[in-house]
Amino acid sequence: MSDSDSTLSPEPQRTIKIIFISDYLCAFCYIGNKSLKDAIAGCRDLDVHFDVEFRPFTLLCSSSVPEVPKVKGEKVLNRRDYLIRKFGKEQAESKWKVVEELAQKAGLPLAEDGIVARSNLAHRLSVKAYKVGGQAMQGRLNDILFAAIFADCQDVSDVDFLADAAEKVGLMNKKEATAFLQDTDCKNCVNQMIEAARASGVNGVPSIIIDGKWALNGVQSTECYLQVSKACLF
């Protein structure tokens, strides 16, 4: 037997697939994205590869905010008013206090208010980013969008803002991104993913599926993600 025959081939690196169902308007998704990234960084010494795919979900119904482009100068719906209208002043303030505490613990900036708008265009861009550049490109786009929405009060439905984000991550240039957003590319794919999530029982986000067998609902701590990820290895 030759030396090459007697040498054992190295075990292939274990891949853990993580599907993170989210909406860019969801503050808990913003926090959950950071917690998951911190957990993956905490597994850097393990022989494991994480494939993270963000999939779309929409929390707003069409009656809340119509899916039509805004006219320049048109008044936008701010987050504080939207939450008060939905939950009542006392409950809205209580819920947002929890968000503030979790964001502070995660080390994330959080503006006092923000803009509520439909996230369908952002989801189309995100799905396209994953198709073109995998989790690395989609992850960079997510970081830009979440920070812009929750720290900088940007409008997630604004085509100019989204086209800039697409160019920043290298997905396409601004002219191409504008044309993409004004067309219907990836629209059916996004709608099918949202329908599939609802059909599987998802009615709120974040909803995270790890390795096809672990399901986590709601915002989770970095420690929780670490425990589940390590459990997948055994």
Side-chain angles (χ1 to χ4, degrees):
M1 183 181 292
S2 67
D3 289 341
S4 60
D5 291 334
S6 60
T7 302
L8 294 176
S9 300
E11 291 269 341
Q13 188 180 44
R14 174 82 157 84
T15 294
I16 295 178
K17 174 74 175 184
I18 298 177
I19 296 173
F20 196 111
I21 302 171
S22 69
D23 190 359
Y24 289 109
L25 292 181
C26 171
F28 292 130
C29 296
Y30 171 48
I31 297 164
N33 175 53
K34 175 66 161 52
S35 298
L36 178 59
K37 287 176 65 178
D38 289 347
I40 290 174
C43 293
R44 66 172 66 90
D45 295 331
L46 300 178
D47 189 24
V48 60
H49 169 72
F50 291 92
D51 179 13
V52 182
E53 178 185 358
F54 276 71
R55 292 188 184 174
F57 195 81
T58 50
L59 294 172
L60 292 180
C61 61
S62 57
S63 60
S64 300
V65 181
E67 189 181 4
V68 294
K70 291 186 180 67
V71 177
K72 190 171 183 179
E74 181 181 353
K75 185 178 179 181
V76 296
L77 177 62
N78 69 56
R79 185 186 301 121
R80 183 184 290 111
D81 288 347
Y82 172 77
L83 292 176
I84 290 173
R85 188 175 71 183
K86 184 174 182 180
F87 298 111
K89 188 173 188 296
E90 185 176 344
Q91 193 175 359
E93 289 177 351
S94 176
K95 286 178 178 292
W96 194 249
K97 184 177 175 60
V98 172
V99 171
E100 289 176 330
E101 291 171 352
L102 290 172
Q104 183 178 32
K105 186 177 179 181
L108 288 170
L110 186 68
E112 291 185 3
D113 206 352
I115 296 172
V116 175
R118 290 176 66 82
S119 52
N120 301 61
L121 293 180
H123 285 313
R124 284 176 51 210
L125 207 59
S126 175
V127 167
K128 185 70 172 180
Y130 187 79
K131 287 181 176 181
V132 172
Q135 64 175 333
M137 181 178 286
Q138 189 185 51
R140 292 195 301 274
L141 181 66
N142 282 343
D143 290 345
I144 290 172
L145 297 184
F146 276 129
I149 294 162
F150 288 102
D152 302 327
C153 303
Q154 290 276 6
D155 182 351
V156 72
S157 68
D158 184 79
V159 170
D160 194 56
F161 156 63
L162 291 172
D164 277 336
E167 189 168 57
K168 285 178 183 176
V169 301
L171 175 57
M172 55 187 89
N173 64 42
K174 188 169 181 177
K175 183 178 179 180
E176 292 169 336
T178 300
F180 167 84
L181 292 164
Q182 291 174 341
D183 199 3
T184 58
D185 191 8
C186 289
K187 184 175 182 177
N188 287 340
C189 184
V190 166
N191 290 339
Q192 288 167 6
M193 286 181 171
I194 293 172
E195 289 170 6
R198 293 192 188 280
S200 69
V202 175
N203 54 26
V205 287
S207 181
I208 305 98
I209 302 160
I210 301 178
D211 212 32
K213 55 188 177 183
W214 298 83
L216 302 173
N217 296 310
V219 65
Q220 304 294 332
S221 66
T222 296
E223 291 72 22
C224 177
Y225 286 125
L226 278 170
Q227 290 175 7
V228 174
S229 297
K230 290 177 179 179
C232 291
L233 299 176
F234 302 100

